[in-house]
Structure formats: structure tokens, C-alpha cells
Amino acid sequence: MTQSLAHLLPVLSTIPGVNIPVSVLQGISIAASGRKIEQLEQALRHEVGLLTRQIEAGELHLDSDYAGSDAFTANVIQALRAAEIAEGETKLHFIARALAGCSLYFPPPSLDKVQTMRVIEGLSERELKVFTGLFGLLDPIDPYSDSLPTGSAATVGGLTRQEFAAALLGLGQLGLLTKETVQANDWSDPAPAWKLTALARQVATLSRVGPKEL
């Protein structure tokens, strides 16, 4: 096991129930710089500390059976693979937040954590910025029933309209957005618009983005 992976195990082990055998990760190496691993470790330490405090306060609920399972170990490996291609610190922090979230209990419908981590790996830094920014453009109470017209002039994070539109297309390819014909009100004609999908809800729930659902 590389020294970089050894740094993460003590952090993960502070989550109650987590018990990842060192032997499981011995054959795993990742092509990431020491600086990138250091940033991931720091982000994970912050997220696990925050998660632990929220669990103690009763705001979140630990799934101890899952945290001690092979499935959670698979999530850790997925997070490490995602870190390899992360473009910057923002994406690394999002990966750490989602990985910490994998140890939590979520009410039905069942959240497919392996699928969700796989999608998170595929998000570019710009797509991530647009995805999280969409929750500030849509209905804050129920963004999943709201929509964003494809011709909207909206954007987020200082991106140009063209950059924003390209990221929306990328999110659509990842299955996080779907294009539907929507009638905004009784006086408007139906027009194409972007809507968040069930998969987007999974990503947002695991990373605690958007409306609180726990």
C-alpha cells in the first residue's frame, strides 16, 4: 500500500463502525501527486469531523452495518480512483464529502452509493460548479419539481453563458439532468427545459447539497 493511502485510513477509522483491513488496500496505488493526496486527506478529515459532530447532535444517522461492510470499502476505492483525475481542490473536497456521506443511513428509497460515487468521479470541476449552483437557481423547497429553460440567460460562478450551457449538456450526458418540454404557467407555451433527475437527487443527498432530506 502506498504511503498516501496509509494516511487516509486513520481518518476513516474515526467513523464509528469503519474497519478497513490494511490488506484490502495493499495492492492499490493511485497516480496522484503528494499535494493532491494531502488536500484529499485534509478535506476528508474536515468532513468526517463535521459528520461526527452532526451524528452526535442527532442531525445525521450513522449506518454502522454499511460502514463496516465490503461495500463501504468499495466506496473508499472509488473515491481514490476519483481523486486521480480530480482537477482541483473543489472536486477533491466534494469527493471527501460524498465518501463521508457513504457511512450514513438514508431513508427509503434506497440510495445506490456505488452508482452515485461512480457518477461523482465523472464530474468535471466546471460541471460540479454548475450542478451545485443549480440549487440556487431552482425552487429552494423542491428543486426536483422545478426546471430551467434551455434558453435561459442564467449562469453560475462567473461562467459565461456558453460555458454554463456546455456544462449543462455534460450533466445531461452523466444522467443528472434531463431535457423535458415544460409549460411554466397557464399563459406560456410549452418549451424545452432542464430538470434534475433521480440520479441527481442521489448525488445531492449523498453530498448533502440542496434541501435537507435526512
Side-chain angles (χ1 to χ4, degrees):
M1 181 175 62
T2 65
Q3 187 65 21
S4 59
L5 301 187
H7 288 166
L8 300 182
L9 285 179
V11 181
L12 291 167
S13 296
T14 61
I15 301 175
V18 171
N19 182 25
I20 302 174
V22 173
S23 59
V24 172
L25 301 180
Q26 282 180 340
I28 298 174
S29 61
I30 60 175
S33 67
R35 176 58 178 163
K36 182 178 286 188
I37 292 300
E38 181 182 346
Q39 291 173 334
L40 178 62
E41 179 189 356
Q42 291 173 350
L44 187 59
R45 191 177 301 279
H46 170 79
E47 290 299 334
V48 169
L50 178 62
L51 177 145
T52 300
R53 291 193 294 273
Q54 290 178 297
I55 289 174
E56 291 173 348
E59 298 172 3
L60 300 176
H61 306 285
L62 179 71
D63 187 343
S64 55
D65 289 339
Y66 188 90
S69 70
D70 291 341
F72 182 76
T73 301
N75 296 147
V76 174
I77 295 172
Q78 285 181 297
L80 293 170
R81 297 304 188 199
E84 284 187 301
I85 59 174
E87 299 170 70
E89 192 169 358
T90 300
K91 177 66 181 294
L92 288 169
H93 201 106
F94 195 78
I95 293 168
R97 187 171 180 82
L99 177 57
C102 286
S103 67
L104 297 175
Y105 166 78
F106 297 95
S110 177
L111 194 156
D112 189 333
K113 296 174 182 177
V114 172
Q115 180 193 39
T116 306
M117 290 298 293
R118 186 169 67 243
V119 172
I120 288 172
E121 178 181 352
L123 281 168
S124 72
E125 193 99 357
R126 183 179 293 173
E127 288 165 347
L128 175 59
K129 178 183 291 187
V130 171
F131 176 72
T132 55
L134 280 173
F135 290 94
L137 298 175
L138 300 173
D139 184 337
I141 303 300
D142 185 10
Y144 304 101
S145 65
D146 199 3
S147 61
L148 182 72
T150 57
S152 169
T155 186
V156 297
L159 297 179
T160 66
R161 175 55 194 160
Q162 290 76 18
E163 291 170 338
F164 181 71
L168 291 175
L169 289 172
L171 293 173
Q173 291 173 344
L174 288 169
L176 299 176
L177 291 176
T178 184
K179 191 179 293 186
E180 299 182 6
T181 300
V182 175
Q183 185 169 3
N185 52 58
D186 294 337
W187 302 277
S188 64
D189 294 327
W194 291 107
K195 294 194 70 173
L196 294 166
T197 65
L199 185 55
R201 185 190 289 268
Q202 287 193 172
V203 172
T205 300
L206 191 65
S207 58
R208 279 93 70 213
V209 173
K212 183 176 179 181
E213 298 192 18
L214 297 179

